[in-house]
Amino acid sequence: MQNIYNVKSVEESWAVAAEVVKLLKPGTVMALHGDLGAGKTTFMQGIAIALHLERPVTSPTFTLSNEYNAAQFKLVHMDLYRLTSPDDLLAIGYAEHIENGAVVAVEWPERAEDLIPADAIHIYLEQGDEMEDRRIIVEQP
Amino acid sequence: MIVLGIESSCDETAAAVVDNGRNVLSSVVYSQIELHQPYGGVVPEIASRSHVEKISGIISSAMIQAFGNGSEESIDTSWWNKLDAVAVTYGPGLASSLIVGLSEAKGLALRIGAPLIGINHVEAHIHSVFLSSGAPEPAEIFPYLALVVSGGHSCLIEVTALNTCSIIGQTLDDAAGEAFDKAAKMMGLGYPGGPVIDKLARSVDCRSTIDFPKGRPRAGNPILGGLDADLCVSFSGLKTSLMYYLKKNPPADNAEVAAIIASYQEAIVDALAQRCSIALLRGNYKALAVGGGVSLNSRLRERLTAVSQAAGVPVLLAEPRFCGDNAAMIAGLACMGAGVTGAEAMELDVVPSLAAGS
C-alpha cells in the first residue's frame, strides 16, 4: 500500500507522522529515505509528538542511536550516515532492539538494505520548490 | 590529589595528569581528524580502531610529561604510585569509542591499585574553564550558567553546587557544531566546518547580509517537553534554509561564499548568545562558563563576552587547548569529587546518551 501526501507546513508533516504512528507496532522498522534537509528531523519530531514523548528529538548523527521510552514501546532513532558496513548497524544493537519489541527508525537505510526487513514501513521524504513544501510517500507491505 | 584522566568519547584520544583539579601537569591529545576527513565526519569503526592503537602510547606520553625530567623515553614504574586515581569518560559519546578508554582505565586502575572515577564528558567541558590560572574557584561562583557547544552537544546548564547541575535549555535537533559541519559540507568547504567558517566569516565586512531563520524554537512547540522555548535553540530549519538559498542563489565567487557563510554563522551565534542573555538576565548567576569545541569560534566569544558584560557577570572561556576534547578536563573534574566512584565505578558500562546532571 502506498500513500502520497503533499504537505505545506511543519504541522502538516506532523499530521502525516501521526497517521504513520497508527501503523507502528513493537518490532516495526521504519526506513526514512531523504537527503540532507528533506525533513527527516521534522518527521521524527512528529512521530515523537504522536507518541506523547514531548521532549527534544535530537540528531542521532553524533551518538548514532537515540532511545526514547514511549508508553506503547521503545522508540529507537538510528543514523547510518557514517557507518561503513551493515555489520556496524548490528554493532549498535539494531537486531536486539527489534527482537526486544522496539520500533526502530533508521535514517539512510540504503546503507544497510539487506538488514531492512520485508515488512518495514518505508517513508520517502522529498523536497518541494518552496522551503516548507514536502512530498511524503508512505509505503507499507 | 593527582589524577590521570583518559578521554576517548569521539575522535580524540587523550590523556592528562592534573593536580588538585586546576594544575595541569600534562595534557596530550591525539586528534583523528585526518583519518575522518575523507568521509566528511567521524566514522565510528575507524575511530574505535585508532583509539585502540593510540591509547597506551598517549597515556605513556602524559605520564612522562607529568613526572619525567625531560630525558625519559619510557615510564618509571614508581610514577604510578603518585596517582591518587584514574578518571575516565563513560559518556556521552560513541559507544565503540567510549569502550576503549573505559576498558583501558579499568585495567590500569586494577593494575596500579588506584581507584577509578567515571566522568560525564559534558560536565567535564564545563570544568575546562577552571583549568586557566586566572579562573576563580568553582565554589566562589555558584550558582553559575554554563554553555557547552560542540559537534555533539549544545546545552545551557545551571550549576548550583559541586556536582549539582541541570540542563535548562538545549538544541531541539542538531548541535551547533553539527550545523557548521553540515553547512561546510553543502558548500564544499571540507571537514570540520567550524574553523574554516570562522575564518571566512572574519574576511567579510558585513556580518549578516542574508536573513536566515533565527534558530529559535516557537513557544508551545510540543517537543520542548518541560523546557522553556526561550532557552532552547533549533538549527535543523536553518540548515534547510541554507540549502534552499544555495539552490536558488548559487554563489558565483569566493566573496559570495564568504558572505553567505558569515550570515549563517551569525544566525547560529546570535541564537546561542541570545539564549545565554535571557538566562543570565532571568537567573541570579554569578558567571557564564563556556566550553566545547565550538566555543573556539571567535564571533561567539565576542558575542558571549558582550552578553555577560551587559548582564554584569564575568564570562569564563576555556583556553583554546582545553576547548576541544581533552583529558585534563576529565582529570580536573574528578579531582573535585565528581563522578561515579568506588565499587560502582568498576562496574560501569559506557552510556552513549548520558545527559548532564544525570
Side-chain angles (χ1 to χ4, degrees), chain A residues 10-11 13-14 17 40-59 68 75 77, chain B residues 167-174 215-237:
Chain A
V10 168
E11 288 74 16
S13 289
W14 289 353
K40 296 188 292 292
T41 304
T42 302
F43 187 81
M44 278 307 292
Q45 288 175 349
I47 296 282
I49 292 165
L51 289 170
H52 305 288
L53 281 166
E54 295 181 357
R55 48 162 295 183
V57 180
T58 50
S59 159
Y68 305 92
L75 174 68
H77 184 192
Chain B
I167 294 178
I168 58 167
Q170 64 166 72
T171 177
L172 299 184
D173 37 60
D174 298 354
R216 304 173 190 170
R218 281 170 298 179
N221 185 329
I223 64 159
L224 284 162
L227 293 168
D228 186 335
D230 289 346
L231 302 178
C232 290
V233 291
S234 160
F235 297 128
S236 179

Side-chain angles (χ1 to χ4, degrees), chain A:
Chain A
M1 196 187 84
Q2 192 192 58
N3 285 316
I4 301 174
Y5 305 86
N6 289 302
V7 301
K8 294 205 171 293
S9 69
V10 168
E11 288 74 16
E12 285 181 35
S13 289
W14 289 353
V16 176
E19 288 302 310
V20 171
V21 161
K22 293 177 189 162
L23 309 172
L24 302 177
K25 40 185 199 298
T28 304
V29 171
M30 189 165 53
L32 289 172
H33 306 260
D35 285 333
L36 207 63
K40 296 188 292 292
T41 304
T42 302
F43 187 81
M44 278 307 292
Q45 288 175 349
I47 296 282
I49 292 165
L51 289 170
H52 305 288
L53 281 166
E54 295 181 357
R55 48 162 295 183
V57 180
T58 50
S59 159
T61 301
F62 177 63
T63 52
L64 303 176
S65 171
N66 289 335
E67 298 175 21
Y68 305 92
N69 290 309
Q72 305 90 317
F73 39 69
K74 183 189 263 188
L75 174 68
V76 182
H77 184 192
M78 292 182 157
D79 186 335
L80 312 194
Y81 193 56
R82 290 210 203 85
L83 298 189
T84 45
S85 80
D87 288 351
D88 293 348
L89 183 57
L90 299 175
I92 56 174
Y94 172 75
E96 284 93 333
H97 283 309
I98 299 173
E99 221 175 274
N100 296 337
V103 165
V104 184
V106 182
E107 293 195 15
W108 305 98
E110 39 300 301
R111 295 187 184 230
E113 261 173 355
D114 295 347
L115 292 174
I116 307 296
D119 62 354
I121 297 174
H122 289 263
I123 316 285
Y124 297 86
L125 293 143
E126 292 166 11
Q127 293 144 19
D129 295 331
E130 294 303 319
M131 215 178 94
E132 302 278 295
D133 291 1
R134 295 284 186 287
R135 168 179 289 220
I136 305 176
I137 301 168
V138 179
E139 253 180 34
Q140 54 159 330

